[in-house]
Amino acid sequence: MPHPHRPIDILLSPSTLIAVVLAGEALAALLALSPAPVDDRLVLFGLASLGIQWATLGTLALVHLLRPVLGRLGPQPLAWACLGVLLVTTLLMALAAWTLMSFRHVEGDHEGALFVLRALALALVAGLLVLLAFQNHWRVRQLALRAKQAELEALQARIHPHFLFNTLNTGAALVHQQPQKAEQLLLDLADLFRAALTDSRQVPLREELELARRYIAIEQLRFGARMQVEWALPDALPDLQVPILSIQPLVENAIHHGVEPSAGPCRLRIAIQAEAGGARITVSNDLPAATSSIHRGHSVGLQALRARVQMMGGDVHTEIADRRYLASLRVPAA
């Protein structure tokens, strides 16, 4: 699956393809309606449409073939490179059109050069307009992503204090009776907050699982036998990157709305399943007898996680089945 945050993937998206086709037809219609001395404007529209679509779609095809190289470019160099490809494609289309339609007998060979130059000038003007539109679209997209990231960080800031206070209270209770467990709790807490404060947005799946294990170990000290944890992991973990602290919100919701309200033992299950083009991580928990607050309580943490995952092309799905709440996180491969 492509990365939606890369500039080249915007150019090769279905919406861009549709926009290119429609814009090409609009340009062909403008040429057919221009005050030029022609006998049949429908024929002119058909020929212009054919030439424009061959040039534009040929450009996108070449960009796709050159994707391994062009994909490394930033938005502005990529835009100029695509403009160059468009001019080369237009040149080839104009030369082929002049040869096939045999216009040369009308006013001499110099008319062929003028025809090619007009086609290149038209492609240059249209390409510059598209270049400006693409750069503006990229800036707006980046601003929207930064605003979304700021919103997510604000949501995370609301979630972390609740966990911090509970953990410190648990550590205080263990200091005198079980000092070794209190020390391990503080070490696990330090690793979690070090991950929360890092500049990295993605980590390998195995590292994210280790952070989830540390979080579960901390909460296990709070709930003891009431919290029963099952792991269903493949022998070989998928080699992919996941958003940092993405499994922890799933576990946190399962504990907060499954273990805490339950009078007896509550079973948590963390499963990972490899899928075509990525992997699915599922955290499920038994529902307590009273489920009136389930839907309300699961919203904040999962809302923040869903937004983070959607930025990289994944998604979060929740459902209730067989008296269990399931939250699954799908992460695409790089």
Side-chain angles (χ1 to χ4, degrees):
M1 177 176 287
H3 299 276
H5 57 273
R6 293 197 310 175
I8 194 170
D9 292 314
I10 298 177
L11 292 177
L12 299 178
S13 64
S15 59
T16 301
L17 178 61
I18 296 173
V20 165
V21 172
L22 294 178
E25 292 302 298
L27 181 58
L30 289 176
L31 292 176
L33 295 175
S34 63
V38 294
D39 297 330
D40 193 336
R41 295 191 178 276
L42 286 179
V43 173
L44 178 59
F45 171 76
L47 293 176
S49 176
L50 179 63
I52 291 172
Q53 296 302 345
W54 270 101
T56 53
L57 295 180
T59 299
L60 290 178
L62 287 176
V63 170
H64 179 75
L65 292 176
L66 297 174
R67 184 172 181 162
V69 177
L70 297 179
R72 304 170 187 170
L73 300 178
Q76 187 167 358
L78 174 64
W80 286 107
C82 291
L83 179 60
V85 174
L86 174 63
L87 292 178
V88 172
T89 307
T90 302
L91 175 62
L92 295 176
M93 290 299 106
L95 291 174
W98 180 258
T99 301
L100 292 176
M101 291 186 286
S102 301
F103 288 155
R104 286 174 295 180
H105 69 278
V106 179
E107 297 186 17
D109 292 339
H110 71 281
E111 188 66 19
L114 291 177
F115 174 77
V116 173
L117 288 177
R118 291 192 191 102
L120 288 175
L122 184 63
L124 178 61
V125 173
L128 288 174
L129 292 176
V130 173
L131 185 148
L132 291 175
F134 170 75
Q135 289 182 336
N136 288 333
H137 173 75
W138 179 256
R139 292 193 192 99
V140 170
R141 184 183 179 90
Q142 292 302 106
L143 290 175
L145 290 177
R146 290 171 186 168
K148 176 61 70 176
Q149 189 62 44
E151 178 184 350
L152 298 179
E153 290 174 356
L155 281 172
Q156 288 180 327
R158 293 170 52 192
I159 298 171
H160 289 159
H162 171 77
F163 168 65
L164 176 61
F165 295 149
N166 287 336
T167 303
L168 292 178
N169 289 333
T170 302
L174 293 174
V175 166
H176 298 293
Q177 298 178 353
Q178 297 176 301
Q180 291 183 346
K181 289 186 176 181
E183 179 183 1
Q184 185 60 47
L185 180 145
L186 293 177
L187 292 175
D188 292 339
L189 180 65
D191 288 338
L192 287 171
F193 273 83
R194 186 181 299 110
L197 296 175
T198 184
D199 293 333
S200 176
R201 298 299 177 191
Q202 297 182 16
V203 295
L205 177 58
R206 57 177 180 80
E207 293 185 15
E208 178 61 22
L209 274 176
E210 182 60 29
L211 291 175
R213 290 182 186 275
R214 292 181 180 275
Y215 177 80
I216 289 175
I218 292 174
E219 295 290 53
Q220 189 81 63
L221 293 174
R222 290 179 56 203
F223 298 104
R226 286 173 55 195
M227 178 175 163
Q228 301 178 353
V229 182
E230 295 180 3
W231 294 87
L233 307 179
D235 294 334
L237 289 174
D239 184 16
L240 49 81
Q241 299 283 315
V242 299
I244 193 167
L245 292 179
S246 56
I247 300 179
Q248 180 268 338
L250 301 181
V251 178
E252 180 179 12
N253 275 280
I255 293 173
H256 185 57
H257 301 285
V259 179
E260 285 187 0
S262 298
C266 179
R267 181 169 58 94
L268 271 63
R269 188 173 188 270
I270 300 95
I272 295 180
Q273 182 178 4
E275 294 184 350
R280 183 170 298 277
I281 305 165
T282 304
V283 178
S284 60
N285 61 275
D286 295 329
L287 290 178
T291 59
S292 59
S293 63
I294 289 297
H295 298 284
R296 181 182 70 252
H298 275 280
S299 59
V300 177
L302 295 186
Q303 176 187 355
L305 177 61
R306 180 178 287 110
R308 293 170 59 202
V309 174
Q310 287 177 345
M311 289 170 60
M312 61 175 296
D315 199 6
V316 175
H317 175 72
T318 60
E319 64 175 317
I320 295 178
D322 299 329
R323 296 292 303 169
R324 289 183 62 79
Y325 189 95
L326 291 85
S328 62
L329 162 68
R330 189 190 183 281
V331 182

